[in-house]
């Protein structure tokens, strides 16, 4: 008897990561406890989302640069930006506007620039005291797309045979001498 692949089989004996805390970071563990409590007592969707994102792995909590942050916070000077991840500096941005930001981590230069502009860098426990329900906040996320993902292909399924069609190959260079055999070179009549 086989597995019903369309139904996805049975995944028994696995607890979800939201049931058990997987991280060993003591600060993060305490934050999960705090926001779980706030979610339960305030029934706030903001706290529920923060808990969900605190459980996420590093790949699923990408960093956000100062430029993107300032772009999203335009005309929202009275609100606090909340990022469950790291805030990084962007050297391409010449002037940093005044921002109120809450994040898990800040790079040294990003923190300096935010504070020099008259803004503030908050931690999540400070935010919990100031806005337990997440009022006057803007919940943001970094961009998840990475160069590595262009090599991965689509999700596999029984119904999708084109999993690796048009996926970027791991080729050292794009020159004449690299993976240009019969069927790939212009002088052999290959057309895209």
């Amino acid at each position: 008897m086989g597995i019903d692949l369309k139904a996805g089989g049975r995944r028994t004996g696995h607890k979800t990561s939201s049931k058990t805390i997987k991280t060993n970071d003591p600060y993060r563990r305490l934050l999960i406890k705090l926001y779980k409590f706030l979610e339960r007592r305030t029934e706030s969707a903001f706290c529920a989302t923060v808990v969900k994102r605190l459980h996420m792995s590093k790949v699923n909590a990408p960093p956000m640069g100062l430029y993107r942050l300032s772009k999203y916070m335009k005309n929202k000077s009275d609100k606090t930006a909340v990022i469950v991840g790291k805030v990084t500096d962007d050297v391409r941005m010449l002037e940093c506007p005044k921002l109120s930001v809450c994040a898990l981590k800040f790079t040294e230069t990003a923190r300096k620039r935010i504070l020099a502009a008259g803004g503030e860098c908050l931690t999540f426990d400070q935010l919990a005291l100031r806005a337990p329900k997440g009022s006057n906040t803007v919940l943001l996320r970094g961009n998840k797309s990475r160069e590595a993902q262009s090599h991965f292909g689509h999700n596999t399924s029984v119904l999708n045979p084109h999993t690796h069609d048009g996926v970027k190959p791991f080729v050292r260079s794009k020159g004449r001498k690299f993976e240009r055999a019969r069927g790939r070179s212009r002088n052999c009549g290959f057309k895209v």
Side-chain angles (χ1 to χ4, degrees):
M1 210 169 122
I3 302 169
D4 184 358
L5 287 170
K6 279 188 188 173
R10 279 179 182 73
R11 208 167 162 271
T12 54
H14 295 269
K15 283 205 169 90
T16 60
S17 61
S18 54
K19 291 263 196 317
T20 55
I21 304 172
K22 294 225 173 111
T23 178
N24 293 324
D25 178 4
Y27 176 62
R28 207 170 188 148
R29 291 178 87 94
L30 285 170
L31 281 184
I32 289 171
K33 265 188 178 176
L34 168 65
Y35 275 89
K36 249 186 180 166
F37 169 78
L38 285 172
E39 179 200 352
R40 196 174 69 244
R41 295 297 291 267
T42 61
E43 293 177 0
S44 136
F46 170 82
C47 292
T49 309
V50 169
V51 167
K52 191 171 72 181
R53 290 189 190 175
L54 280 168
H55 274 291
M56 286 181 181
S57 62
K58 198 175 178 182
V59 167
N60 291 321
M64 185 178 252
L66 266 183
Y67 174 73
R68 194 177 281 246
L69 182 61
S70 63
K71 192 173 77 174
Y72 287 138
M73 294 307 287
K74 220 175 210 167
N75 307 324
K76 293 176 187 166
S77 54
D78 57 329
K79 292 184 188 283
T80 305
V82 180
I83 297 119
V84 185
K86 195 174 195 173
V87 173
T88 56
D89 186 24
D90 197 335
V91 289
R92 297 167 298 182
M93 192 170 72
L94 300 173
E95 281 181 24
C96 179
K98 186 182 176 185
L99 295 165
S100 173
V101 189
C102 169
L104 283 176
K105 286 179 182 177
F106 294 88
T107 60
E108 208 174 313
T109 45
R111 189 186 291 273
K112 265 186 199 162
R113 287 185 74 177
I114 291 168
L115 295 174
E120 56 181 353
C121 300
L122 300 169
T123 56
F124 272 91
D125 38 327
Q126 288 170 324
L127 182 76
L129 290 169
R130 188 183 290 190
K133 286 186 175 181
S135 50
N136 278 346
T137 59
V138 180
L139 197 54
L140 299 171
R141 272 173 146 172
N143 186 8
K144 211 169 142 184
S145 64
R146 302 175 292 141
E147 197 280 332
Q149 283 180 323
S150 56
H151 300 285
F152 293 167
H154 315 294
N155 293 338
T156 50
S157 75
V158 180
L159 305 172
N160 179 17
H162 307 292
T163 318
H164 291 287
D165 289 2
V167 174
K168 190 176 183 182
F170 289 102
V171 182
R172 190 156 46 108
S173 180
K174 216 177 160 133
R176 171 187 59 80
K177 297 186 287 188
F178 303 94
E179 297 197 16
R180 287 269 176 264
R182 170 80 187 94
R184 299 298 307 173
S185 53
R186 243 185 248 116
N187 63 349
C188 294
F190 178 75
K191 288 191 182 89
V192 179

